[in-house]
Amino acid sequence: MADDPILSVRDLHVSFRTKRGLARVVRGLDYDLHAGETLAIVGESGSGKSVSTLAMTKLIPMPPGQVSGEVWLGDDDLVPLSEKHLLHYRGRRIGYVFQDPMTSLNPVHPIGRQLTEGMRYHLELSDEEIRERAIDLLQKVGIPSPEKRLDDYPHQFSGGMRQRVVIAIGLSCDPEVLVADEATTALDVTTQAQIVELIGRLQDELGMGVIWITHDLGVVAGIADRVLVMYAGQVVEAADVDALYARPRHPYTVGLMRSLPVLGDLERRDLASIPGLPPSPTALPEGCAFHPRCAFRDDDRCATEAPPLRDIGDGHLIRSFYEVPEEIAQEAAAEARIEIEPPDADDVGDAAAEVGSRSGRGGET
Amino acid sequence: MSDDRPDQPPSDEPAEEPRQPSAEQPELERPEGEHRPQWRQTLAILLSNRAAAVGLVVLIVMVLTAVFADQLIRFPINEDNIANRFAPPSADHWFGTDDLGRDVYSRVVMGARVSLQVAAISVTISLVAGTLLGLIAGYRGGWLDTVTMRAVDVAFAFPAVLLAIALVAVFGPSLRNTMIAIGIVFTPIFARVVRGSVLSVREDLYIRAIRSLGASDGRIILRHVLPNVAAPVIVQTSLSLAFAILLEAALSFVGAGVQRPTPAWGLMLADAQRFIAQGWWLSVFPGMAIFVTVMAFNLMGDGLRDALDPRQRTLIEARGAGGGEDE
Amino acid sequence: MSDALVTVDDLSVYFPVGRRRDGTAVKAVDGVSFEIAKGETLGLVGESGCGKSTTGLALLRLVEPTRGSVTFDGIDVRELSARDLRRWRRRAAMIFQDPYASLDPRQPVGEAVGEALDIHDLHQGKQARRTRIGELLERVGLHPDVAERYPHEFSGGQRQRVGIARALACEPDFIVADEPIAALDVSIQAQVMNLMAELQRDLDLTYLFIAHDLAAVQHVSDRIAVMYLGRIVELADRIDIYRSPQHPYTQALLSAIPVPEPTRERSRRRILLEGDLPSPMDPPSGCNFRTRCAEVFEACGRVDPALAPVTDGHEAACLLHHDQGQAVERSHHPDAREHQKA
């Protein structure tokens, strides 16, 4: 891992003015991302995980939205930059892959045109070079016979293939940071496996930093180096992936893990659900934002005083006055552990382990 | 409005005895935020749109004028006074007098009753007939739908005014026949609006959910399809009322509508045309009446379109500061 | 199983394509057979477009089946007249995926629940009706005084509970739950799954639980059927299907599901499926899955494997486990041989 982070976010705040008052969607976010590193941001809807990355390049409606803090990409702070200047960063240095491959492509343009649009704007290349690069990118993301498919329209691709195109667009200008915002949520699980594998392989090849935003703790386990758990616009727990899964210490993270049904759970334990609902960003509770739902709360303190994010050792951060006791943390981790080995490619013929992309018939409509 | 069925009076608490206590007795949840009836939200959004609020006020004034016309008029509307022809507006005759010396103000006031009555009755005819046709065609589909919609297409192929004139020519000109003719002319518009909405509502998941409970088609249509197609129908009603007033005026203008000496705005305009040199007030005041009323209906129709559209609703709420605060 | 509450035999649903009657049809469900015992939960899993939801709808005749039969407690559901069908629906309810779309936006939630009572003339009288509505809302963890509120005022999880209360209103024996948790956040999913389990215990319900999330399905189900392209490819006990998946598709599906364990996840070699799902208008000849199967062999293009027992209570539709298959490809699954013909 490189010494200097390629992306540093400091005290990022994002809020929106609404009729019901100020919605504070991201409240003081800090993190570093290094080259080649995968940072996972986990949270439920409304936790601010998506908005925080969109706000880095102000891809949110700005009259109601407000951004403050610092976003250092190399030596540049993006927050004070004007719309015009940000154009040089969006797509060029920070690439995005969004959730829904159905709507993140424009249905009336062929994919080749959408793929080359950013390159034509950002890169000083001839038309011929751009075309070559486009073909190369499609090849990389596993689209068979790419030179023939450049002129096809999005509807001529299947969901998984479309998401590959979206990834190719995200990578088209060789960004230092790729933000994958719920990039596999809309896909079937077998397709998700392909896409996760693909992004991992591309990251190894190209060495970019990846911010992977998801609500799926399973996906995170396989790909992340470091994990941020967000709740109500703040990081409530941050740790290296192994530490987090072995010993989650924040009550919310523990709650999430215990509410997860786990494959191959033999005796069918009861799922421990987190009572209640996440707070509305316009009406955040006093004190700790999680305290109304917390099983470990102490009403005197948690309801009045907001806990700071503190280090409990080895860069494991939690935002809570109380650490979940070791035994409970380990129990939660054990509950999330599968009891039977899932089938593996080794169990079947080797041919199956090959990525489907190279087969001739992939990608038909 | 989206009619909240009021068969459950709010706030009187049923005498609820606690259920058998379950093991851990989790807390019972309520949604966040205070409860506001839907019609109040709709009204709030409607009134936050300034143009629509103006339209609504004008219409209320117009309706009151029509209702209390007998009290508001200053002279008997059909009393000739040849001695006082073409008197310009004055303290006595606010809007002047016409070629027969009749008080224009009184006739415009009484004309409101005639025009609004024609508009209301004819639009009601088309609303009922068109909604029925559209509901059946849209919900049932098949040949019934094909036949109805082809008939609607044919009706649309005629210019509205010509069709209305032709119908009046067949029925014979009279106040009643004018209303029937306008009603017939507008029926296809409602049929088409309703059918389109029914087609989309019919596919909504909640219709399927209610069918899964064992509901009959009749119940589904009356209690679920109809309330959910109400919004576009209400908007269309408002716009049609405007158009009905224009159409009535046009019919009366060419002599195929309301007959003399009934004081209809269109008829007054037609008569004024001959005396344009003698008095500007003869045409300006009835013309203004038509303009203001039609405008008000249109403004309110546009406002209703926004207020009744749930997507618009969230948009407006999200937009926050924009749009006047109403409460 | 003689205590079956629901027996589905050769159920098929074809949707004609276009207006011409040239026989082109989307074979959404194509010859599906299974039984659900009283008090049991059968899980139905598969990826989008596999026909699992259509199967649930056809079972309740919310979509008319093209072929096959559904028997419910001795009643031939396909033979019911329109009127009898409406009456029967009291006994078999449905919970839908999207809690935002499955409630009428213009109906207060209490009325949504009460409507089920009205339809079947239950709990007549204003007071009795209101009490019952309050009971049902409480049953699903909502305060009875929310009855006059509108669906848009509720969160997704709360709406889903209203949907469940509505399904419970007529005290059904059987509930088809179509992706009831897919639209909900993780912490809310557990609430709804726990509620459904509790209701099943208390009210002796039988469920068909349809979902794409195999972990959730496994959590709530007693047995699991895996669907692919309109067919059931494997049907087994919830543990068996995981311990020894027999069909190559089930194996790929299980191998693709990420598990929340970093070390295991990083070292796993997934079985990645080749290509895309074939069009259900023109499924491959022979075995549906052969175009993406790693273990495909010559006979797969000719023979369409039926769902056949592999071991007791474990069925798979794969030639590897049929006589024809073994002759050609014996080496692959040596244990398959012991299990032929139960």
Side-chain angles (χ1 to χ4, degrees):
Chain A
M1 217 162 279
D3 311 313
D4 287 333
I6 48 172
L7 178 74
S8 287
V9 173
R10 291 290 172 268
D11 198 29
L12 183 70
H13 288 259
V14 184
S15 47
F16 293 88
R17 240 195 311 250
T18 74
K19 209 167 190 174
R20 293 204 192 92
L22 193 69
R24 292 185 292 152
V25 178
V26 179
R27 304 184 292 141
L29 188 61
D30 295 277
Y31 61 81
D32 288 333
L33 178 74
H34 298 266
E37 185 189 27
T38 301
L39 176 78
I41 305 183
V42 184
E44 297 183 275
S45 42
S47 61
K49 57 188 193 302
S50 279
V51 174
S52 71
T53 51
L54 293 174
M56 292 192 308
T57 56
K58 301 200 178 131
L59 281 172
I60 51 171
M62 277 306 275
Q66 305 163 340
V67 180
S68 69
E70 296 163 30
V71 175
W72 292 95
L73 185 66
D75 296 327
D76 310 325
D77 182 4
L78 305 188
V79 173
L81 292 184
S82 68
E83 182 70 19
K84 195 176 139 214
H85 285 100
L86 282 169
L87 292 178
H88 299 292
Y89 294 86
R90 285 181 201 152
R92 173 70 188 86
R93 298 184 62 188
I94 300 183
Y96 288 91
V97 177
F98 295 110
Q99 171 173 358
D100 190 353
M102 305 295 282
T103 52
S104 49
L105 290 172
N106 186 336
V108 303
H109 294 311
I111 60 126
R113 181 165 159 192
Q114 303 185 51
L115 177 55
T116 54
E117 199 169 352
M119 294 192 263
R120 253 185 261 122
Y121 179 78
H122 292 302
L123 308 180
E124 281 163 17
L125 295 175
S126 69
D127 284 359
E128 196 45 46
E129 286 167 318
I130 283 177
R131 193 183 147 79
E132 265 170 40
R133 191 172 157 77
I135 293 172
D136 186 46
L137 277 164
L138 289 181
Q139 187 99 50
K140 269 208 181 82
V141 297
I143 291 186
S145 40
E147 59 289 341
K148 288 186 200 131
R149 307 230 51 184
L150 277 178
D151 298 321
D152 284 352
Y153 289 85
H155 70 89
Q156 291 168 290
F157 292 80
S158 70
M161 286 294 155
R162 228 175 275 155
Q163 194 63 316
R164 287 168 191 263
V165 173
V166 174
I167 292 170
I169 294 173
L171 294 174
S172 61
C173 299
D174 225 346
E176 293 140 70
V177 176
L178 183 73
V179 177
D181 185 355
E182 299 274 12
T184 60
T185 304
L187 304 176
D188 278 322
V189 58
T190 54
T191 316
Q192 166 174 291
Q194 296 169 352
I195 299 294
V196 167
E197 173 115 355
L198 171 69
I199 293 186
R201 188 161 51 77
L202 293 172
Q203 187 178 15
D204 288 346
E205 269 173 46
L206 308 173
M208 70 240 172
V210 174
I211 299 178
W212 194 291
I213 298 169
T214 181
H215 63 275
D216 188 332
L217 287 169
V219 171
V220 172
I223 55 170
D225 297 306
R226 194 170 168 78
V227 185
L228 306 182
V229 181
M230 283 188 76
Y231 185 82
Q234 290 179 321
V235 170
V236 292
E237 182 156 11
D240 290 340
V241 66
D242 293 288
L244 185 82
Y245 282 80
R247 275 177 296 118
R249 301 308 290 276
H250 191 280
Y252 175 64
T253 318
V254 172
L256 269 190
M257 286 205 171
R258 305 191 82 165
S259 67
L260 216 57
V262 169
L263 208 53
D265 136 44
L266 290 176
E267 86 281 17
R268 203 193 311 229
R269 70 190 159 83
D270 271 345
L271 298 178
S273 64
I274 305 175
L277 297 170
S280 151
T282 52
L284 293 166
E286 285 278 301
C288 170
F290 185 62
H291 89 265
R293 306 177 70 191
C294 183
F296 299 87
R297 70 170 172 231
D298 165 353
D299 279 327
D300 289 342
R301 192 167 183 202
C302 300
T304 50
E305 197 180 330
L309 195 63
R310 62 198 174 95
D311 196 329
I312 55 168
D314 297 329
H316 192 145
L317 311 175
I318 62 168
R319 189 186 294 279
S320 171
F321 294 121
Y322 296 94
E323 293 154 43
V324 174
E326 192 82 24
E327 323 88 79
I328 298 182
Q330 276 171 4
E331 196 183 310
E335 277 175 5
R337 208 159 288 148
I338 54 173
E339 288 162 37
I340 316 168
E341 200 65 41
D344 207 89
D346 297 331
D347 305 346
V348 202
D350 256 2
E354 305 270 309
V355 182
S357 54
R358 252 161 289 151
S359 85
R361 38 167 314 289
E364 270 110 334
T365 36
Chain B
M1 232 118 295
S2 54
D3 227 347
D4 320 332
R5 269 166 298 114
D7 43 2
Q8 222 169 346
S11 85
D12 70 341
E13 192 76 27
E16 200 58 60
E17 46 195 292
R19 303 280 306 136
Q20 67 274 36
S22 70
E24 65 269 51
Q25 192 65 56
E27 275 175 61
L28 296 176
E29 284 181 35
R30 288 191 182 88
E32 287 173 9
E34 51 153 349
H35 174 63
R36 271 204 300 174
Q38 226 164 15
W39 66 266
R40 273 187 54 194
Q41 282 188 32
T42 304
L43 193 65
I45 296 173
L46 185 67
L47 293 180
S48 71
N49 175 341
R50 218 156 282 156
V54 169
L56 188 64
V57 170
V58 170
L59 287 177
I60 290 172
V61 170
M62 280 294 170
V63 169
L64 290 177
T65 307
V67 170
F68 297 106
D70 292 321
Q71 282 75 43
L72 289 170
I73 56 172
R74 298 164 53 81
F75 293 88
I77 50 168
N78 287 326
E79 191 185 71
D80 297 358
N81 183 358
I82 303 296
N84 196 18
R85 302 172 67 194
F86 301 122
S90 65
D92 253 2
H93 298 281
W94 295 347
F95 294 177
T97 63
D98 67 3
D99 55 318
L100 299 175
R102 296 174 299 191
D103 181 40
V104 174
Y105 163 76
S106 301
R107 292 181 63 80
V108 167
V109 165
M110 199 52 85
R113 178 179 285 183
V114 176
S115 290
L116 288 182
Q117 184 195 355
V118 171
I121 294 179
S122 56
V123 169
T124 305
I125 292 172
S126 52
L127 173 72
V128 171
T131 304
L132 220 57
L133 281 176
L135 268 181
I136 296 169
Y139 192 78
R140 268 288 133 91
W143 63 268
L144 205 64
D145 185 29
T146 315
V147 170
T148 315
M149 285 304 117
R150 286 304 84 77
V152 165
D153 288 341
V154 170
F156 267 119
F158 293 100
V161 179
L162 282 189
L163 185 59
I165 291 174
L167 287 169
V168 172
V170 173
F171 300 149
S174 74
L175 185 62
R176 196 194 63 180
N177 290 346
T178 304
M179 296 192 280
I180 294 175
I182 297 176
I184 293 175
V185 170
F186 285 178
T187 298
I189 303 176
F190 281 94
R192 180 174 278 186
V193 167
V194 170
R195 173 188 175 263
S197 314
V198 170
L199 282 184
S200 84
V201 168
R202 193 180 66 168
E203 298 303 318
D204 281 350
L205 189 60
Y206 57 83
I207 297 294
R208 173 171 274 169
I210 285 144
R211 204 146 64 85
S212 82
L213 298 173
S216 60
D217 285 342
R219 169 182 282 271
I220 292 173
I221 292 179
L222 281 179
R223 307 196 51 156
H224 299 283
V225 176
L226 206 52
N228 280 289
V229 301
V233 173
I234 290 169
V235 173
Q236 187 58 50
T237 302
S238 181
L239 301 177
S240 291
L241 283 168
F243 194 41
I245 286 172
L246 280 180
L247 192 52
E248 179 267 323
L251 287 179
S252 302
F253 190 86
V254 299
V258 180
Q259 297 303 299
R260 290 182 186 87
T262 314
W265 292 337
L267 206 55
M268 292 167 75
L269 270 186
D271 290 341
Q273 192 192 10
R274 284 181 291 143
F275 306 111
I276 199 88
Q278 281 89 338
W280 52 268
W281 53 90
L282 288 190
S283 43
V284 163
F285 290 108
M288 282 287 284
I290 293 172
F291 170 77
V292 168
T293 315
V294 169
M295 194 70 188
F297 273 121
N298 279 329
L299 289 178
M300 197 177 68
D302 283 343
L304 280 172
R305 193 196 313 268
D306 293 346
L308 292 170
D309 182 348
R311 275 168 307 155
Q312 284 286 341
R313 183 170 300 179
T314 39
L315 208 74
I316 288 166
E317 270 176 22
R319 215 186 290 139
E325 293 292 331
D326 46 271
E327 47 192 278
Chain C
M1 248 172 284
S2 54
D3 55 347
L5 179 68
V6 183
T7 307
V8 174
D9 187 33
D10 193 30
L11 187 71
S12 302
V13 184
Y14 297 169
F15 296 113
V17 178
R19 295 211 159 195
R20 266 164 283 119
R21 302 185 146 267
D22 54 358
T24 12
V26 172
K27 297 179 174 175
V29 180
D30 197 13
V32 160
S33 306
F34 56 84
E35 287 186 348
I36 310 176
K38 193 149 178 35
E40 180 190 38
T41 300
L42 178 71
L44 196 54
V45 277
E47 299 184 284
S48 47
C50 73
K52 57 188 189 301
S53 291
T54 311
T55 303
L57 293 170
L59 208 151
L60 299 180
R61 268 183 73 188
L62 289 167
V63 162
E64 282 300 330
T66 312
R67 198 178 69 221
S69 74
V70 176
T71 316
F72 178 92
D73 199 14
I75 303 164
D76 185 339
V77 176
R78 282 198 70 194
E79 293 301 313
L80 292 175
S81 67
R83 208 187 146 146
D84 290 339
L85 179 66
R86 288 206 302 273
R87 285 214 191 111
W88 170 73
R89 291 208 162 125
R90 196 188 145 176
R91 301 188 58 191
M94 181 141 187
I95 301 170
F96 294 86
Q97 165 174 4
D98 187 347
Y100 294 85
S102 61
L103 296 170
D104 184 340
R106 306 214 179 269
Q107 192 177 36
V109 298
E111 285 307 302
V113 175
E115 180 156 35
L117 303 174
D118 301 345
I119 290 168
H120 298 287
D121 298 327
L122 304 169
H123 300 273
Q124 285 170 321
K126 213 168 169 181
Q127 192 53 47
R129 183 175 182 273
R130 191 182 299 169
T131 309
R132 175 68 176 151
I133 292 170
E135 259 172 38
L136 286 162
L137 289 174
E138 258 185 81
R139 195 75 193 73
V140 297
L142 294 172
H143 202 281
D145 69 11
V146 303
E148 76 234 25
R149 298 214 178 187
Y150 286 88
H152 70 88
E153 300 179 51
F154 293 80
S155 70
Q158 291 170 337
R159 280 184 224 202
Q160 194 58 294
R161 283 189 265 160
V162 172
I164 294 174
R166 175 173 65 182
L168 291 176
C170 299
E171 300 167 49
D173 305 309
F174 176 55
I175 294 182
V176 173
D178 184 9
E179 297 268 19
I181 56 167
L184 308 175
D185 262 326
V186 183
S187 71
I188 310 296
Q189 287 184 353
Q191 291 176 2
V192 171
M193 278 192 279
N194 287 346
L195 173 65
M196 285 183 64
E198 183 191 318
L199 293 171
Q200 182 168 40
R201 275 197 303 273
D202 295 355
L203 306 174
D204 197 21
L205 292 167
T206 304
Y207 287 138
L208 177 65
F209 188 95
I210 302 169
H212 67 275
D213 178 351
L214 195 45
V217 167
Q218 213 205 7
H219 182 79
V220 301
S221 308
D222 299 304
R223 289 186 306 139
I224 294 172
V226 180
M227 278 188 84
Y228 180 80
L229 210 59
R231 304 276 181 98
I232 290 182
V233 296
E234 188 157 0
L235 177 63
D237 171 70
R238 64 183 282 273
I239 300 297
D240 272 359
I241 205 149
Y242 190 71
R243 206 193 289 276
S244 58
Q246 297 297 320
H247 196 282
Y249 176 66
T250 315
Q251 292 166 355
L253 194 62
L254 284 167
S255 115
I257 297 168
V259 297
E261 284 178 64
T263 34
R264 200 190 297 263
E265 269 299 300
R266 283 194 292 262
S267 63
R268 268 171 89 183
R269 291 183 64 221
R270 299 183 190 285
I271 306 166
L272 293 176
L273 286 182
E274 293 191 9
D276 293 323
L277 194 70
S279 160
M281 268 160 69
D282 181 23
S285 66
C287 172
N288 262 345
F289 185 58
R290 70 177 168 86
T291 52
R292 307 174 74 189
C293 182
E295 302 187 60
V296 65
F297 54 95
E298 181 270 335
C300 296
R302 287 185 284 109
V303 187
D304 182 5
L307 197 61
V310 181
T311 59
D312 194 22
H314 193 144
E315 296 172 74
C318 178
L319 288 185
L320 290 172
H321 304 291
H322 285 216
D323 291 337
Q324 304 97 313
Q326 276 150 21
V328 187
E329 201 70 308
R330 187 167 299 154
S331 60
H332 257 97
H333 274 249
D335 57 310
R337 184 155 220 198
E338 305 155 27
H339 305 316
Q340 21 168 310
K341 295 266 161 187

